């Protein structure tokens, strides 16, 4: 196995682990998309991107490679929006929207999968850390604030 093949395998494995890490939060919260789905989203984005950047002799033509990579990124992120849209629900009676965070995690898992394929490890690491901080940390802040708000509302009645 060549060094290039090992590098490609590593990129795909890391993309899968990134999706699992993000999906772990969704699993803990009982959301419709969890570790398996987000692992597949990140892996799929990485596969599409890795295939595009290593296709044949494109590396000999930087302008063509640039256009192909731009097209893949645009296509993956646009297409993945449809999956995310499937989990967004609007309830007119209560004037609430549910599923936006789950939809955003699908989109970010795809973006991180692309970053893994492009081997931009600083972006991958920073993106995963910030995503997990937002999902775990801000989830706790939101629930704490909502609990305090409900308690305040109860005191007024």
């Amino acid at each position: 196995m060549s060094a290039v093949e090992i590098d490609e395998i590593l990129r795909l494995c890391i993309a899968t682990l990134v999706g699992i890490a993000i999906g772990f939060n969704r699993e803990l919260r009982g959301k419709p998309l969890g570790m398996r789905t987000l692992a597949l989203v990140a892996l799929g984005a990485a596969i599409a991107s890795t295939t595009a950047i290593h296709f044949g002799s494109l590396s000999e033509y930087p302008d063509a490679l640039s256009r192909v990579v731009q097209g893949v990124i645009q296509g993956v992120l646009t297409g993945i929006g449809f999956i995310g849209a499937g989990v967004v629900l609007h309830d007119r009676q209560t004037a609430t929207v549910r599923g936006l965070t789950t939809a955003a995690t699908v989109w970010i898992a795809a973006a991180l999968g692309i970053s893994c394929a492009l081997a931009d490890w600083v972006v991958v690491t920073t993106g995963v850390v910030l995503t997990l901080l937002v999902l775990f940390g801000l989830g706790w802040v939101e629930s704490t604030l909502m609990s305090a708000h409900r308690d305040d509302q109860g005191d007024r009645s």
Side-chain angles (χ1 to χ4, degrees), residues 92-128:
R92 290 184 180 165
Q93 291 177 340
T94 61
T96 58
V97 177
R98 298 180 49 86
L100 289 175
T101 301
T102 299
T105 56
V106 172
W107 194 83
I108 202 161
L112 287 167
I114 291 169
S115 294
C116 289
L118 298 175
D120 194 343
W121 304 123
V122 171
V123 170
V124 170
T125 303
T126 305
V128 169

PDB file of all heavy atoms in Angstrom, residues 92-128:
ATOM      1  N   ARG A  92     -47.363  25.429  13.547  1.00  0.00           N
ATOM      2  CA  ARG A  92     -48.068  26.721  13.479  1.00  0.00           C
ATOM      3  C   ARG A  92     -48.872  27.013  14.741  1.00  0.00           C
ATOM      4  O   ARG A  92     -49.017  28.159  15.132  1.00  0.00           O
ATOM      5  CB  ARG A  92     -48.982  26.739  12.266  1.00  0.00           C
ATOM      6  CG  ARG A  92     -48.205  26.806  10.987  1.00  0.00           C
ATOM      7  CD  ARG A  92     -49.108  26.933   9.805  1.00  0.00           C
ATOM      8  NE  ARG A  92     -48.285  26.991   8.601  1.00  0.00           N
ATOM      9  CZ  ARG A  92     -48.734  26.820   7.398  1.00  0.00           C
ATOM     10  NH1 ARG A  92     -50.023  26.599   7.207  1.00  0.00           N
ATOM     11  NH2 ARG A  92     -47.924  26.888   6.373  1.00  0.00           N
ATOM     12  N   GLN A  93     -49.382  25.968  15.380  1.00  0.00           N
ATOM     13  CA  GLN A  93     -50.196  26.175  16.573  1.00  0.00           C
ATOM     14  C   GLN A  93     -49.384  26.770  17.715  1.00  0.00           C
ATOM     15  O   GLN A  93     -49.861  27.644  18.427  1.00  0.00           O
ATOM     16  CB  GLN A  93     -50.861  24.879  17.011  1.00  0.00           C
ATOM     17  CG  GLN A  93     -51.922  24.406  16.045  1.00  0.00           C
ATOM     18  CD  GLN A  93     -52.520  23.087  16.473  1.00  0.00           C
ATOM     19  OE1 GLN A  93     -51.935  22.339  17.254  1.00  0.00           O
ATOM     20  NE2 GLN A  93     -53.701  22.776  15.947  1.00  0.00           N
ATOM     21  N   THR A  94     -48.184  26.279  17.898  1.00  0.00           N
ATOM     22  CA  THR A  94     -47.356  26.785  18.993  1.00  0.00           C
ATOM     23  C   THR A  94     -46.327  27.804  18.519  1.00  0.00           C
ATOM     24  O   THR A  94     -45.569  28.337  19.326  1.00  0.00           O
ATOM     25  CB  THR A  94     -46.606  25.626  19.694  1.00  0.00           C
ATOM     26  OG1 THR A  94     -45.754  24.984  18.742  1.00  0.00           O
ATOM     27  CG2 THR A  94     -47.574  24.632  20.306  1.00  0.00           C
ATOM     28  N   ALA A  95     -46.308  28.064  17.213  1.00  0.00           N
ATOM     29  CA  ALA A  95     -45.359  29.012  16.612  1.00  0.00           C
ATOM     30  C   ALA A  95     -43.911  28.658  16.957  1.00  0.00           C
ATOM     31  O   ALA A  95     -43.114  29.513  17.325  1.00  0.00           O
ATOM     32  CB  ALA A  95     -45.687  30.446  17.015  1.00  0.00           C
ATOM     33  N   THR A  96     -43.597  27.352  16.865  1.00  0.00           N
ATOM     34  CA  THR A  96     -42.238  26.908  17.149  1.00  0.00           C
ATOM     35  C   THR A  96     -41.657  26.178  15.938  1.00  0.00           C
ATOM     36  O   THR A  96     -42.389  25.660  15.105  1.00  0.00           O
ATOM     37  CB  THR A  96     -42.193  25.944  18.360  1.00  0.00           C
ATOM     38  OG1 THR A  96     -43.037  24.821  18.082  1.00  0.00           O
ATOM     39  CG2 THR A  96     -42.637  26.635  19.638  1.00  0.00           C
ATOM     40  N   VAL A  97     -40.357  26.189  15.882  1.00  0.00           N
ATOM     41  CA  VAL A  97     -39.630  25.446  14.858  1.00  0.00           C
ATOM     42  C   VAL A  97     -38.697  24.499  15.589  1.00  0.00           C
ATOM     43  O   VAL A  97     -37.983  24.900  16.504  1.00  0.00           O
ATOM     44  CB  VAL A  97     -38.830  26.403  13.940  1.00  0.00           C
ATOM     45  CG1 VAL A  97     -38.021  25.615  12.928  1.00  0.00           C
ATOM     46  CG2 VAL A  97     -39.754  27.389  13.246  1.00  0.00           C
ATOM     47  N   ARG A  98     -38.705  23.234  15.185  1.00  0.00           N
ATOM     48  CA  ARG A  98     -37.859  22.224  15.821  1.00  0.00           C
ATOM     49  C   ARG A  98     -36.952  21.599  14.767  1.00  0.00           C
ATOM     50  O   ARG A  98     -37.309  21.517  13.612  1.00  0.00           O
ATOM     51  CB  ARG A  98     -38.711  21.134  16.469  1.00  0.00           C
ATOM     52  CG  ARG A  98     -39.603  21.669  17.579  1.00  0.00           C
ATOM     53  CD  ARG A  98     -40.445  20.577  18.227  1.00  0.00           C
ATOM     54  NE  ARG A  98     -39.688  19.391  18.612  1.00  0.00           N
ATOM     55  CZ  ARG A  98     -39.041  19.261  19.770  1.00  0.00           C
ATOM     56  NH1 ARG A  98     -39.034  20.248  20.628  1.00  0.00           N
ATOM     57  NH2 ARG A  98     -38.398  18.149  20.047  1.00  0.00           N
ATOM     58  N   GLY A  99     -35.792  21.165  15.194  1.00  0.00           N
ATOM     59  CA  GLY A  99     -34.897  20.435  14.311  1.00  0.00           C
ATOM     60  C   GLY A  99     -33.808  21.271  13.662  1.00  0.00           C
ATOM     61  O   GLY A  99     -33.003  20.741  12.900  1.00  0.00           O
ATOM     62  N   LEU A 100     -33.758  22.556  13.930  1.00  0.00           N
ATOM     63  CA  LEU A 100     -32.748  23.399  13.280  1.00  0.00           C
ATOM     64  C   LEU A 100     -31.330  23.032  13.703  1.00  0.00           C
ATOM     65  O   LEU A 100     -30.417  23.012  12.878  1.00  0.00           O
ATOM     66  CB  LEU A 100     -33.019  24.876  13.570  1.00  0.00           C
ATOM     67  CG  LEU A 100     -34.244  25.460  12.867  1.00  0.00           C
ATOM     68  CD1 LEU A 100     -34.483  26.893  13.327  1.00  0.00           C
ATOM     69  CD2 LEU A 100     -34.089  25.397  11.366  1.00  0.00           C
ATOM     70  N   THR A 101     -31.134  22.725  14.979  1.00  0.00           N
ATOM     71  CA  THR A 101     -29.791  22.343  15.433  1.00  0.00           C
ATOM     72  C   THR A 101     -29.381  21.019  14.801  1.00  0.00           C
ATOM     73  O   THR A 101     -28.236  20.858  14.370  1.00  0.00           O
ATOM     74  CB  THR A 101     -29.740  22.262  16.965  1.00  0.00           C
ATOM     75  OG1 THR A 101     -30.105  23.537  17.499  1.00  0.00           O
ATOM     76  CG2 THR A 101     -28.351  21.891  17.451  1.00  0.00           C
ATOM     77  N   THR A 102     -30.304  20.086  14.706  1.00  0.00           N
ATOM     78  CA  THR A 102     -29.999  18.819  14.059  1.00  0.00           C
ATOM     79  C   THR A 102     -29.651  19.038  12.592  1.00  0.00           C
ATOM     80  O   THR A 102     -28.690  18.462  12.080  1.00  0.00           O
ATOM     81  CB  THR A 102     -31.181  17.841  14.206  1.00  0.00           C
ATOM     82  OG1 THR A 102     -31.404  17.613  15.601  1.00  0.00           O
ATOM     83  CG2 THR A 102     -30.909  16.519  13.514  1.00  0.00           C
ATOM     84  N   ALA A 103     -30.402  19.891  11.908  1.00  0.00           N
ATOM     85  CA  ALA A 103     -30.097  20.204  10.508  1.00  0.00           C
ATOM     86  C   ALA A 103     -28.715  20.846  10.378  1.00  0.00           C
ATOM     87  O   ALA A 103     -27.950  20.521   9.466  1.00  0.00           O
ATOM     88  CB  ALA A 103     -31.167  21.130   9.931  1.00  0.00           C
ATOM     89  N   ALA A 104     -28.390  21.722  11.307  1.00  0.00           N
ATOM     90  CA  ALA A 104     -27.079  22.369  11.272  1.00  0.00           C
ATOM     91  C   ALA A 104     -25.956  21.370  11.523  1.00  0.00           C
ATOM     92  O   ALA A 104     -24.886  21.471  10.913  1.00  0.00           O
ATOM     93  CB  ALA A 104     -27.020  23.495  12.306  1.00  0.00           C
ATOM     94  N   THR A 105     -26.199  20.376  12.378  1.00  0.00           N
ATOM     95  CA  THR A 105     -25.159  19.377  12.635  1.00  0.00           C
ATOM     96  C   THR A 105     -24.926  18.506  11.402  1.00  0.00           C
ATOM     97  O   THR A 105     -23.799  18.082  11.151  1.00  0.00           O
ATOM     98  CB  THR A 105     -25.473  18.489  13.856  1.00  0.00           C
ATOM     99  OG1 THR A 105     -26.733  17.864  13.686  1.00  0.00           O
ATOM    100  CG2 THR A 105     -25.436  19.272  15.142  1.00  0.00           C
ATOM    101  N   VAL A 106     -25.965  18.245  10.634  1.00  0.00           N
ATOM    102  CA  VAL A 106     -25.788  17.503   9.381  1.00  0.00           C
ATOM    103  C   VAL A 106     -24.892  18.307   8.443  1.00  0.00           C
ATOM    104  O   VAL A 106     -23.951  17.784   7.848  1.00  0.00           O
ATOM    105  CB  VAL A 106     -27.148  17.219   8.704  1.00  0.00           C
ATOM    106  CG1 VAL A 106     -26.961  16.630   7.317  1.00  0.00           C
ATOM    107  CG2 VAL A 106     -27.982  16.290   9.556  1.00  0.00           C
ATOM    108  N   TRP A 107     -25.172  19.576   8.326  1.00  0.00           N
ATOM    109  CA  TRP A 107     -24.414  20.436   7.423  1.00  0.00           C
ATOM    110  C   TRP A 107     -22.957  20.553   7.873  1.00  0.00           C
ATOM    111  O   TRP A 107     -22.040  20.444   7.066  1.00  0.00           O
ATOM    112  CB  TRP A 107     -25.088  21.816   7.364  1.00  0.00           C
ATOM    113  CG  TRP A 107     -24.599  22.653   6.250  1.00  0.00           C
ATOM    114  CD1 TRP A 107     -25.020  22.626   4.946  1.00  0.00           C
ATOM    115  CD2 TRP A 107     -23.596  23.655   6.324  1.00  0.00           C
ATOM    116  NE1 TRP A 107     -24.312  23.551   4.222  1.00  0.00           N
ATOM    117  CE2 TRP A 107     -23.437  24.193   5.040  1.00  0.00           C
ATOM    118  CE3 TRP A 107     -22.797  24.145   7.354  1.00  0.00           C
ATOM    119  CZ2 TRP A 107     -22.525  25.201   4.763  1.00  0.00           C
ATOM    120  CZ3 TRP A 107     -21.899  25.155   7.065  1.00  0.00           C
ATOM    121  CH2 TRP A 107     -21.770  25.673   5.785  1.00  0.00           C
ATOM    122  N   ILE A 108     -22.742  20.746   9.169  1.00  0.00           N
ATOM    123  CA  ILE A 108     -21.366  20.891   9.656  1.00  0.00           C
ATOM    124  C   ILE A 108     -20.601  19.576   9.572  1.00  0.00           C
ATOM    125  O   ILE A 108     -19.391  19.571   9.306  1.00  0.00           O
ATOM    126  CB  ILE A 108     -21.302  21.506  11.063  1.00  0.00           C
ATOM    127  CG1 ILE A 108     -19.922  22.111  11.284  1.00  0.00           C
ATOM    128  CG2 ILE A 108     -21.603  20.496  12.134  1.00  0.00           C
ATOM    129  CD1 ILE A 108     -19.850  23.111  12.390  1.00  0.00           C
ATOM    130  N   ALA A 109     -21.275  18.437   9.755  1.00  0.00           N
ATOM    131  CA  ALA A 109     -20.598  17.153   9.592  1.00  0.00           C
ATOM    132  C   ALA A 109     -20.102  16.999   8.157  1.00  0.00           C
ATOM    133  O   ALA A 109     -18.987  16.517   7.926  1.00  0.00           O
ATOM    134  CB  ALA A 109     -21.534  15.999   9.967  1.00  0.00           C
ATOM    135  N   ALA A 110     -20.904  17.429   7.198  1.00  0.00           N
ATOM    136  CA  ALA A 110     -20.479  17.373   5.792  1.00  0.00           C
ATOM    137  C   ALA A 110     -19.297  18.308   5.548  1.00  0.00           C
ATOM    138  O   ALA A 110     -18.321  17.939   4.883  1.00  0.00           O
ATOM    139  CB  ALA A 110     -21.643  17.730   4.874  1.00  0.00           C
ATOM    140  N   ALA A 111     -19.375  19.513   6.094  1.00  0.00           N
ATOM    141  CA  ALA A 111     -18.270  20.473   5.913  1.00  0.00           C
ATOM    142  C   ALA A 111     -16.978  19.940   6.529  1.00  0.00           C
ATOM    143  O   ALA A 111     -15.894  20.063   5.940  1.00  0.00           O
ATOM    144  CB  ALA A 111     -18.646  21.819   6.530  1.00  0.00           C
ATOM    145  N   LEU A 112     -17.080  19.330   7.695  1.00  0.00           N
ATOM    146  CA  LEU A 112     -15.887  18.764   8.336  1.00  0.00           C
ATOM    147  C   LEU A 112     -15.369  17.552   7.562  1.00  0.00           C
ATOM    148  O   LEU A 112     -14.159  17.325   7.496  1.00  0.00           O
ATOM    149  CB  LEU A 112     -16.178  18.406   9.793  1.00  0.00           C
ATOM    150  CG  LEU A 112     -16.298  19.620  10.725  1.00  0.00           C
ATOM    151  CD1 LEU A 112     -16.894  19.211  12.066  1.00  0.00           C
ATOM    152  CD2 LEU A 112     -14.957  20.300  10.908  1.00  0.00           C
ATOM    153  N   GLY A 113     -16.270  16.793   6.962  1.00  0.00           N
ATOM    154  CA  GLY A 113     -15.848  15.694   6.099  1.00  0.00           C
ATOM    155  C   GLY A 113     -15.034  16.204   4.918  1.00  0.00           C
ATOM    156  O   GLY A 113     -14.010  15.625   4.546  1.00  0.00           O
ATOM    157  N   ILE A 114     -15.470  17.311   4.333  1.00  0.00           N
ATOM    158  CA  ILE A 114     -14.722  17.931   3.238  1.00  0.00           C
ATOM    159  C   ILE A 114     -13.352  18.385   3.739  1.00  0.00           C
ATOM    160  O   ILE A 114     -12.336  18.163   3.080  1.00  0.00           O
ATOM    161  CB  ILE A 114     -15.513  19.111   2.635  1.00  0.00           C
ATOM    162  CG1 ILE A 114     -16.748  18.589   1.897  1.00  0.00           C
ATOM    163  CG2 ILE A 114     -14.631  19.941   1.702  1.00  0.00           C
ATOM    164  CD1 ILE A 114     -17.736  19.668   1.498  1.00  0.00           C
ATOM    165  N   SER A 115     -13.319  18.998   4.906  1.00  0.00           N
ATOM    166  CA  SER A 115     -12.038  19.450   5.472  1.00  0.00           C
ATOM    167  C   SER A 115     -11.094  18.281   5.719  1.00  0.00           C
ATOM    168  O   SER A 115      -9.890  18.400   5.510  1.00  0.00           O
ATOM    169  CB  SER A 115     -12.267  20.216   6.779  1.00  0.00           C
ATOM    170  OG  SER A 115     -12.955  21.408   6.528  1.00  0.00           O
ATOM    171  N   CYS A 116     -11.649  17.145   6.155  1.00  0.00           N
ATOM    172  CA  CYS A 116     -10.811  15.946   6.332  1.00  0.00           C
ATOM    173  C   CYS A 116     -10.242  15.496   4.988  1.00  0.00           C
ATOM    174  O   CYS A 116      -9.060  15.146   4.891  1.00  0.00           O
ATOM    175  CB  CYS A 116     -11.617  14.812   6.949  1.00  0.00           C
ATOM    176  SG  CYS A 116     -12.040  15.053   8.683  1.00  0.00           S
ATOM    177  N   ALA A 117     -11.075  15.499   3.963  1.00  0.00           N
ATOM    178  CA  ALA A 117     -10.605  15.080   2.645  1.00  0.00           C
ATOM    179  C   ALA A 117      -9.506  15.998   2.133  1.00  0.00           C
ATOM    180  O   ALA A 117      -8.579  15.551   1.465  1.00  0.00           O
ATOM    181  CB  ALA A 117     -11.769  15.057   1.657  1.00  0.00           C
ATOM    182  N   LEU A 118      -9.602  17.267   2.456  1.00  0.00           N
ATOM    183  CA  LEU A 118      -8.596  18.233   2.013  1.00  0.00           C
ATOM    184  C   LEU A 118      -7.407  18.295   2.967  1.00  0.00           C
ATOM    185  O   LEU A 118      -6.475  19.064   2.750  1.00  0.00           O
ATOM    186  CB  LEU A 118      -9.228  19.615   1.854  1.00  0.00           C
ATOM    187  CG  LEU A 118     -10.348  19.689   0.799  1.00  0.00           C
ATOM    188  CD1 LEU A 118     -10.997  21.073   0.802  1.00  0.00           C
ATOM    189  CD2 LEU A 118      -9.836  19.327  -0.575  1.00  0.00           C
ATOM    190  N   ALA A 119      -7.457  17.487   4.024  1.00  0.00           N
ATOM    191  CA  ALA A 119      -6.373  17.387   5.023  1.00  0.00           C
ATOM    192  C   ALA A 119      -6.052  18.730   5.667  1.00  0.00           C
ATOM    193  O   ALA A 119      -4.903  19.030   5.960  1.00  0.00           O
ATOM    194  CB  ALA A 119      -5.119  16.762   4.404  1.00  0.00           C
ATOM    195  N   ASP A 120      -7.079  19.515   5.918  1.00  0.00           N
ATOM    196  CA  ASP A 120      -6.891  20.791   6.616  1.00  0.00           C
ATOM    197  C   ASP A 120      -7.120  20.528   8.101  1.00  0.00           C
ATOM    198  O   ASP A 120      -8.169  20.826   8.666  1.00  0.00           O
ATOM    199  CB  ASP A 120      -7.868  21.843   6.084  1.00  0.00           C
ATOM    200  CG  ASP A 120      -7.486  23.241   6.512  1.00  0.00           C
ATOM    201  OD1 ASP A 120      -6.680  23.391   7.463  1.00  0.00           O
ATOM    202  OD2 ASP A 120      -7.988  24.201   5.899  1.00  0.00           O
ATOM    203  N   TRP A 121      -6.120  19.944   8.751  1.00  0.00           N
ATOM    204  CA  TRP A 121      -6.263  19.427  10.107  1.00  0.00           C
ATOM    205  C   TRP A 121      -6.498  20.514  11.133  1.00  0.00           C
ATOM    206  O   TRP A 121      -7.164  20.265  12.138  1.00  0.00           O
ATOM    207  CB  TRP A 121      -5.070  18.550  10.470  1.00  0.00           C
ATOM    208  CG  TRP A 121      -4.890  17.440   9.481  1.00  0.00           C
ATOM    209  CD1 TRP A 121      -3.781  17.174   8.736  1.00  0.00           C
ATOM    210  CD2 TRP A 121      -5.863  16.454   9.095  1.00  0.00           C
ATOM    211  NE1 TRP A 121      -4.008  16.087   7.925  1.00  0.00           N
ATOM    212  CE2 TRP A 121      -5.273  15.624   8.124  1.00  0.00           C
ATOM    213  CE3 TRP A 121      -7.180  16.200   9.473  1.00  0.00           C
ATOM    214  CZ2 TRP A 121      -5.940  14.559   7.533  1.00  0.00           C
ATOM    215  CZ3 TRP A 121      -7.849  15.130   8.884  1.00  0.00           C
ATOM    216  CH2 TRP A 121      -7.230  14.332   7.930  1.00  0.00           C
ATOM    217  N   VAL A 122      -6.005  21.719  10.907  1.00  0.00           N
ATOM    218  CA  VAL A 122      -6.278  22.820  11.835  1.00  0.00           C
ATOM    219  C   VAL A 122      -7.765  23.157  11.816  1.00  0.00           C
ATOM    220  O   VAL A 122      -8.396  23.319  12.861  1.00  0.00           O
ATOM    221  CB  VAL A 122      -5.418  24.067  11.495  1.00  0.00           C
ATOM    222  CG1 VAL A 122      -5.847  25.274  12.303  1.00  0.00           C
ATOM    223  CG2 VAL A 122      -3.943  23.767  11.717  1.00  0.00           C
ATOM    224  N   VAL A 123      -8.336  23.223  10.621  1.00  0.00           N
ATOM    225  CA  VAL A 123      -9.770  23.506  10.498  1.00  0.00           C
ATOM    226  C   VAL A 123     -10.591  22.356  11.078  1.00  0.00           C
ATOM    227  O   VAL A 123     -11.577  22.586  11.787  1.00  0.00           O
ATOM    228  CB  VAL A 123     -10.159  23.780   9.024  1.00  0.00           C
ATOM    229  CG1 VAL A 123     -11.667  23.824   8.846  1.00  0.00           C
ATOM    230  CG2 VAL A 123      -9.533  25.076   8.547  1.00  0.00           C
ATOM    231  N   VAL A 124     -10.188  21.126  10.801  1.00  0.00           N
ATOM    232  CA  VAL A 124     -10.917  19.970  11.334  1.00  0.00           C
ATOM    233  C   VAL A 124     -10.913  19.992  12.864  1.00  0.00           C
ATOM    234  O   VAL A 124     -11.962  19.887  13.501  1.00  0.00           O
ATOM    235  CB  VAL A 124     -10.320  18.642  10.813  1.00  0.00           C
ATOM    236  CG1 VAL A 124     -10.925  17.445  11.549  1.00  0.00           C
ATOM    237  CG2 VAL A 124     -10.527  18.510   9.318  1.00  0.00           C
ATOM    238  N   THR A 125      -9.744  20.139  13.448  1.00  0.00           N
ATOM    239  CA  THR A 125      -9.628  20.129  14.906  1.00  0.00           C
ATOM    240  C   THR A 125     -10.407  21.278  15.531  1.00  0.00           C
ATOM    241  O   THR A 125     -11.200  21.075  16.465  1.00  0.00           O
ATOM    242  CB  THR A 125      -8.141  20.213  15.321  1.00  0.00           C
ATOM    243  OG1 THR A 125      -7.445  19.121  14.721  1.00  0.00           O
ATOM    244  CG2 THR A 125      -7.987  20.160  16.830  1.00  0.00           C
ATOM    245  N   THR A 126     -10.210  22.471  15.007  1.00  0.00           N
ATOM    246  CA  THR A 126     -10.926  23.644  15.532  1.00  0.00           C
ATOM    247  C   THR A 126     -12.430  23.481  15.345  1.00  0.00           C
ATOM    248  O   THR A 126     -13.214  23.763  16.261  1.00  0.00           O
ATOM    249  CB  THR A 126     -10.435  24.927  14.847  1.00  0.00           C
ATOM    250  OG1 THR A 126      -9.019  25.019  14.998  1.00  0.00           O
ATOM    251  CG2 THR A 126     -11.103  26.160  15.431  1.00  0.00           C
ATOM    252  N   GLY A 127     -12.835  22.997  14.167  1.00  0.00           N
ATOM    253  CA  GLY A 127     -14.258  22.811  13.881  1.00  0.00           C
ATOM    254  C   GLY A 127     -14.915  21.804  14.800  1.00  0.00           C
ATOM    255  O   GLY A 127     -16.022  22.026  15.293  1.00  0.00           O
ATOM    256  N   VAL A 128     -14.242  20.693  15.052  1.00  0.00           N
ATOM    257  CA  VAL A 128     -14.805  19.675  15.949  1.00  0.00           C
ATOM    258  C   VAL A 128     -14.909  20.213  17.372  1.00  0.00           C
ATOM    259  O   VAL A 128     -15.947  20.061  18.031  1.00  0.00           O
ATOM    260  CB  VAL A 128     -13.970  18.369  15.913  1.00  0.00           C
ATOM    261  CG1 VAL A 128     -14.394  17.422  17.023  1.00  0.00           C
ATOM    262  CG2 VAL A 128     -14.102  17.695  14.566  1.00  0.00           C
TER     263      VAL A 128
END
